[in-house]
Amino acid sequence: MIRIMLTCCLIALTNIVTALADTTVDSADDLRQAIRESKNGDEIIIAAGRYDIADLKLRRDLTLRGEGDVVFFSSRPVAKGLLNPLLGASLTVENITFRDATSPDKNGAGIRHDGDDLTVNKCTFEDNETGILYTGGPENIVTLRDSRFLRNGFGDGYSHGVYVVRAEQVEITNSEFIGTRIGHHVKSLAKKTIITNSVFDDADGRTSYSVDASKGGDVEIRNNRFTQQANADEPSLINYDLSRGGKAIGLSITGNTITNHYARGRLLRNKSDLKPVIANNSVKNIGRGSLAIKQAPRVEQEIGHHKTVTEHIASTSLPMGEMSLEAPAPSKPKQFGLIRAPEFDREDPALVYFKLENNWRDPSAPDYLTFGQAFVEGSLQPGETLSVRYPGLLSPVQLDVKALHEDGSVRHAIVTVATPALKSGKSVEGALVKNTGTLNPSLPGSFD
């Protein structure tokens, strides 16, 4: 008799444990309670419905799985995001829509992940100030599969579809990024970034970069579909630089289909000495002008099948509608296949070197050129002024500071420079230097 009673008790206890490990909820209050009572590794099933939540903190490894049409939203501003996994917590979410997250700092996220690994399957992030903001550990993994990111971004350039501040690896596959507002579709500062079989479309969001890798790393962009609209916030689809630190390890852009509506669209902005691998991309140009993207038979050695341009000035010196690869500006002249960085007469230090090349059909260059420029941390302080130096003369520069580094120095600014009269097909070397004396604003009549 005693043995029978003990067996019944054990069976009952087993049923209780199973119920706790696989809990189904159908209201926001039930969801909060299930998360509070959860154990590490539990799965919570969420019934179809709308769940009004804000800054729902997760302290343990959990899986949240929606059944049917499940929507997370907040009727009030969030401090960080709708869901907020904390340090030490990994999260898997599946079949959930994250919608309308806003915050006083204009960076309200569908998921603000401060924890460990993050896995997102078959989810939708729409109309949030940031879709996903990942600030977890540098050794962790972010995996996004079969998900959609629609109209995310506040519109000030500081919020994005997905922003990974640090991680060992980010992998995005079979996902869509549509209409991100001003910010980037994907901004990854991870050591390795893999993006495959996904769709990137600016739509009416005036999107900046489709992919921004501003801490270098190992980046693979393969078999995706890109559409850059005529009013995009940046001319380049992909950005690769070291403005946030890191190392230039690898960059591969292969097998992608690109539709360009931007008048002077570029495939890549590369501000490193790295030689990217670019091959088998199909490009359709709908803007005016010719399209000069061809595939090189040996991409590791010959990436210069893109038009020869240098530094950021390329954005204003190319024929209308041309898609091109922007060459880096290294400290010494270097050969990159058929793309050659300019040789500068650097008689004194400068912050930025560039080569201005008139490839317009018009016989003369425009009087002024405007472009965005990133600055190395500590190199330029707010209030300091710049000049542009051409051979034999200096001219004032208009500087509109847009962002600062953590030390208070200028990180990014909009720069406007006067240009010399430059005959069609000719070029001139220039540099941005700090002002140290009185300037002569006059410009010569022409450069031959």
Side-chain angles (χ1 to χ4, degrees), residues 27-49:
S27 72
D29 288 341
D30 287 347
L31 175 60
R32 295 186 187 94
Q33 181 177 350
I35 289 174
R36 284 194 302 268
E37 296 176 354
S38 64
K39 302 295 188 295
N40 207 46
D42 280 359
E43 178 176 291
I44 298 175
I45 306 300
I46 304 167

Side-chain angles (χ1 to χ4, degrees), residues 177-192:
F177 295 80
I178 311 294
T180 302
R181 300 185 182 101
I182 303 295
H184 312 311
H185 288 312
V186 175
K187 182 179 181 68
S188 174
L189 307 183
K191 297 175 186 175
K192 185 175 183 64

Side-chain angles (χ1 to χ4, degrees), residues 255-266:
N256 302 284
T257 300
I258 301 164
T259 301
N260 172 50
H261 297 264
Y262 197 95
R264 294 181 296 277
R266 294 198 300 266

Side-chain angles (χ1 to χ4, degrees), residues 14-72:
T14 301
N15 290 337
I16 292 172
V17 171
T18 301
L20 288 174
D22 188 5
T23 303
T24 300
V25 299
D26 59 7
S27 72
D29 288 341
D30 287 347
L31 175 60
R32 295 186 187 94
Q33 181 177 350
I35 289 174
R36 284 194 302 268
E37 296 176 354
S38 64
K39 302 295 188 295
N40 207 46
D42 280 359
E43 178 176 291
I44 298 175
I45 306 300
I46 304 167
R50 289 170 53 83
Y51 293 77
D52 190 348
I53 60 174
D55 299 292
L56 191 53
K57 299 187 183 303
L58 311 179
R59 294 176 168 83
R60 288 166 287 280
D61 295 352
L62 290 176
T63 295
L64 304 183
R65 194 182 313 278
E67 286 191 344
D69 186 11
V70 176
V71 177
F72 286 180

Side-chain angles (χ1 to χ4, degrees), residues 381-399:
Q381 300 299 323
E384 289 185 308
T385 57
L386 300 179
S387 298
V388 58
R389 186 184 72 219
Y390 300 111
L393 66 102
L394 289 175
S395 178
V397 167
Q398 177 177 310
L399 194 67

